[in-house]
Amino acid sequence: MIETGEILQTMRMIQEENFDIRTITLGVNLLDCSDADPERCGQRVYDKICRVARSLVRVGESIEREFSIPIVNKRISVTPVSLICQGDPRPIARWLDRAAKEMGVNFLGGYSALMQKGATRADIRLMQSIPEVLATTERLCSSINVGSTKAGLNMNAIRDMGHIIKETAALTADSDGLGCAKLVVFANAVEDNPFMAGAFCGVGEPECAINVGVSGPGVVKKALEECRGKPFDVVAETIKRTAFKITRVGQLVAREASQRLDIPFGIVDLSLAPTPARGDSVAHILTEMGLEMAGAPGTTAALALLNDAVKKGGVMASNHVGGLSGAFIPVSEDIGMIEAAAAGALTLEKLEAMTCVCSVGLDMIAIPGDTSAATISGIIADEAAIGMVNNKTTAVRVIPAMGKKAGDTVEFGGLLGYAPVMPVNTCSCDAFIARGGRIPAPLHSLRN
């Protein structure tokens, strides 16, 4: 039973503190759509998505109206396309993008391949098609998993993804490399992530499922304003209580969507996902703890506390918590991160350290357009190694800004925001990346 006090608190969070349900994402299993002919496969994919998702947007909008809870995005995630594609994947990409447009969702994720231990011919075909596909589709998102704690790191895939990112940036240079904003390179990718651009419906998922992502950095910051100067024990407890309230709303929306669509409820992802709007920043939560700016000494410790407290509070509010769950630090999507990066307080190396304790990784970072493919691969390898050794999900979503240098700005618009181009270490790692092969899994992966 939801009490009157909780309703009033939720109204205040929505009206004054930028609280929202960031996404309802419908996961759709496409394994039964495989066909030797790519066009027939694409048609079957399109037909199934349109059948299963036909009411998704309408139901999301009706829940918004009835409960007065903003639901920012309605999205779809599908089985990694390389698992159903027996030929050229590009026709399937076109059918997927068409389905996303006709269903009215803003993004569809799952143009993906799982290559942590090696690559099939289908994986390679899909990876090589990514630049063209992301340059010629509007709503399709792509991801490649290049490592895991159990398998180690696929350095061949990491090497190739440096070139793929560069080519994608070049083909979408007229939009400041927007194609790269729809491309994520993972280690330890999860199967039920509702957030783009890395969402896909894993092979362990049911036929379809409703996954909900909640967000409320502004709510957490407001709560911390009431305990300024108090010990970190109080800070952690305050964040836990706030995360509980946020997740309760997510659970409500997920349950309603599941019942109205007659689709099983999957998980609530209780991540703090920021936006470029002032008052909706993860970085400003860190400064509320006492830092001058994100990136100052103590930032990693503050983020570790935040991430842990969010998880502890959220798991008490929902019977199924999953996805990534914690705090996101996408530079272009967080006004506090943008300002810290522009001031030089936040560097690529500091962001890498922060990813050891947050939910994902190096996210929405603009880098100079002349950054080499090998250097991008080196950045991916470092981040994937953090994920592999620490048994956590890490990711890289960097955008080489063609024709721009450190200190310039790139504009993406909407929730993707804008970002200063950040400098990158120019020391060469070419010979290191050229080795290829696999970096073995760590010893602690042997837990059977």
Side-chain angles (χ1 to χ4, degrees):
M1 176 69 69
I2 298 178
E3 299 177 352
T4 303
E6 289 183 278
I7 295 172
L8 294 174
Q9 286 180 334
T10 303
M11 290 174 62
R12 188 184 67 249
M13 291 191 301
I14 293 168
Q15 293 170 358
E16 302 176 10
E17 299 163 11
N18 294 292
F19 173 68
D20 58 54
I21 301 299
R22 186 54 48 85
T23 180
I24 294 178
T25 301
L26 170 61
V28 182
N29 187 307
L30 298 181
L31 290 175
D32 58 349
C33 297
S34 183
D35 193 289
D37 180 86
E39 284 291 345
R40 277 202 307 267
C41 181
Q43 178 73 64
R44 296 178 69 178
V45 164
Y46 170 83
D47 291 344
K48 182 168 187 178
I49 291 172
C50 291
R51 183 177 71 253
V52 175
R54 65 185 182 277
S55 300
L56 175 64
V57 172
R58 177 182 57 79
V59 165
E61 290 173 347
S62 70
I63 294 172
E64 278 188 280
R65 288 191 301 270
E66 292 176 35
F67 291 89
S68 297
I69 298 171
I71 301 173
V72 180
N73 300 299
K74 294 84 178 173
R75 296 166 169 170
I76 297 170
S77 64
V78 300
T79 305
V81 168
S82 71
L83 298 181
I84 65 166
C85 180
Q86 301 177 38
D88 183 357
R90 291 173 297 180
I92 301 172
R94 291 191 291 271
W95 282 103
L96 285 168
D97 197 50
R98 178 181 170 186
K101 291 175 183 176
E102 295 200 16
M103 293 301 98
V105 297
N106 66 321
F107 285 121
L108 186 153
Y111 196 73
S112 308
L114 308 178
M115 303 171 65
Q116 58 267 26
K117 200 171 184 179
T120 65
R121 286 190 292 273
D123 293 331
I124 293 170
R125 284 193 297 266
L126 184 138
M127 181 178 63
Q128 291 174 343
S129 73
I130 286 173
E132 178 186 340
V133 163
L134 294 184
T136 56
T137 58
E138 181 184 347
R139 309 187 189 200
L140 192 59
C141 293
S142 181
S143 61
I144 301 291
N145 195 67
V146 297
S148 71
T149 300
K150 292 291 289 183
L153 303 184
N154 181 348
M155 292 302 292
N156 292 331
I158 289 173
R159 176 197 62 213
D160 294 343
M161 283 308 299
H163 294 282
I164 295 297
I165 290 170
K166 284 282 287 187
E167 188 178 349
T168 303
L171 290 179
T172 58
D174 59 343
S175 56
D176 277 340
L178 183 62
C180 294
K182 299 186 289 180
L183 173 59
V184 184
V185 185
F186 275 119
N188 289 321
V190 296
E191 298 188 333
D192 54 7
N193 168 25
F195 287 99
M196 299 295 167
F200 62 85
C201 181
V203 294
E205 293 292 289
E207 186 69 16
C208 51
I210 289 291
N211 299 318
V212 169
V214 299
S215 180
V219 181
V220 174
K221 181 184 182 299
K222 185 68 174 179
L224 291 183
E225 290 175 3
E226 304 300 319
C227 58
R228 285 177 179 166
K230 294 184 179 180
F232 283 113
D233 313 76
V234 178
V235 172
E237 185 64 25
T238 301
I239 296 170
K240 282 167 56 181
R241 291 175 182 272
T242 306
F244 177 84
K245 296 173 187 176
I246 292 170
T247 309
R248 284 267 286 181
V249 180
Q251 173 79 4
L252 170 66
V253 170
R255 187 176 68 241
E256 285 294 321
S258 173
Q259 291 174 352
R260 297 183 189 196
L261 290 166
D262 194 25
I263 291 173
F265 162 48
I267 57 95
V268 173
D269 186 317
L270 47 95
S271 296
L272 296 181
T275 71
R278 196 163 296 278
D280 200 24
S281 164
V282 169
H284 288 164
I285 298 175
L286 306 181
T287 57
E288 186 59 43
M289 292 187 201
L291 304 173
E292 181 181 356
M293 297 190 88
T299 297
T300 305
L303 185 60
L305 182 155
L306 173 63
N307 212 56
D308 180 65
V310 166
K311 292 177 189 288
K312 287 175 177 174
V315 295
M316 298 300 293
S318 175
N319 53 348
H320 294 294
V321 170
L324 299 166
S325 288
F328 291 175
I329 53 171
V331 173
S332 80
E333 299 174 13
D334 185 312
I335 187 62
M337 296 290 179
I338 294 168
E339 292 171 346
L346 195 61
T347 65
L348 199 60
E349 288 74 19
K350 184 62 175 180
L351 281 164
E352 185 178 297
M354 293 164 67
T355 64
C356 297
V357 299
C358 78
S359 286
V360 194
L362 298 172
D363 197 15
M364 288 301 292
I365 297 171
I367 59 176
D370 61 359
T371 304
S372 71
T375 295
I376 294 171
S377 294
I379 293 170
I380 295 170
D382 285 343
E383 194 60 31
I386 290 171
M388 173 184 72
V389 171
N390 291 287
N391 197 29
K392 69 183 294 292
T393 302
T394 53
V396 172
R397 186 163 49 148
V398 294
I399 300 113
M402 307 308 291
K404 296 191 175 183
K405 61 184 186 302
D408 292 341
T409 300
V410 293
E411 296 273 356
F412 304 115
L415 289 176
L416 296 177
Y418 68 98
V421 178
M422 300 182 69
V424 173
N425 191 317
T426 56
C427 293
S428 173
C429 62
D430 293 24
F432 175 81
I433 295 300
R435 288 177 179 269
R438 282 171 56 199
I439 292 181
L443 184 61
H444 61 255
S445 68
L446 300 176
R447 294 187 295 177
N448 289 339

